Amino acid sequence: MNPEPPQVSYEGRGKAAGPMLMGAMGPMGIAVGIAIDQGIGKDIETALMESLTENQFNLVEKVAVKYPAAKSFTINSLSFKAAPGDDDLAYVTTTITIYPSQKIVCFDSEPALLDALKSSAAGWGLIADSLSNEVECKA
């Protein structure tokens, strides 16, 4: 696994609140909404990076089983999004490049509690479990 940290993002509460905040705050409301999502994304990223060492082996093992010809892989991005209809849950789309083939693959997870994703290693379990749910990568 490439040690380079992946791009982590979150889209949810802030994006939804932006238009409402715009009504009260004008164009600044959209910026506040974006900042809310960026803050949540930073919390998730911090939780993931703090727990990377103890969770890396499980992820490497799952990729090796799924892609036996792989020599290495890079996690390109982790795109967390609020679950439709429930801002307390989030799912992740993981984008990975497999080497030496340079094949790019994407996976969607089941939803998990957003608070757990922001404060624990729960994200790594979610990411590892998602490897069984390959989806078409979106540009």
Side-chain angles (χ1 to χ4, degrees), residues 90-92 108-112 126 129-130 133:
Y91 69 95
V92 63
D108 276 348
S109 74
E110 294 294 321
L126 195 64
D129 291 345
S130 77
N133 189 25

Side-chain angles (χ1 to χ4, degrees), residues 44-56 120-124:
I44 294 170
E45 181 178 25
T46 298
L48 288 170
M49 293 309 112
E50 287 177 351
S51 58
L52 175 62
T53 303
E54 61 266 19
N55 289 281
Q56 189 172 11
S120 71
W124 289 117

Side-chain angles (χ1 to χ4, degrees), residues 1-130:
M1 181 172 154
N2 186 330
E4 193 71 26
Q7 175 186 346
V8 178
S9 64
Y10 174 80
E11 183 179 302
R13 295 176 182 180
K15 183 177 181 184
M20 291 182 288
L21 292 170
M22 186 172 167
M25 301 172 67
M28 186 64 149
I30 297 289
V32 170
I34 291 169
I36 290 169
D37 281 356
Q38 288 177 339
I40 293 170
K42 278 288 182 205
D43 290 345
I44 294 170
E45 181 178 25
T46 298
L48 288 170
M49 293 309 112
E50 287 177 351
S51 58
L52 175 62
T53 303
E54 61 266 19
N55 289 281
Q56 189 172 11
F57 179 78
N58 183 38
L59 188 60
V60 168
E61 187 175 56
K62 289 205 177 216
V63 170
V65 167
K66 186 158 182 75
Y67 301 100
K71 300 292 182 209
S72 66
F73 69 96
T74 298
I75 300 174
N76 303 327
S77 66
L78 300 169
S79 301
F80 290 85
K81 293 187 179 174
D86 191 345
D87 281 345
D88 292 329
L89 298 174
Y91 69 95
V92 63
T93 299
T94 304
T95 304
I96 296 176
T97 301
I98 306 294
Y99 297 101
S101 68
Q102 296 190 2
K103 178 181 179 181
I104 297 174
V105 291
C106 297
F107 308 93
D108 276 348
S109 74
E110 294 294 321
L113 289 172
L114 181 58
D115 285 343
L117 295 171
K118 294 188 317 184
S119 62
S120 71
W124 289 117
L126 195 64
I127 293 161
D129 291 345
S130 77

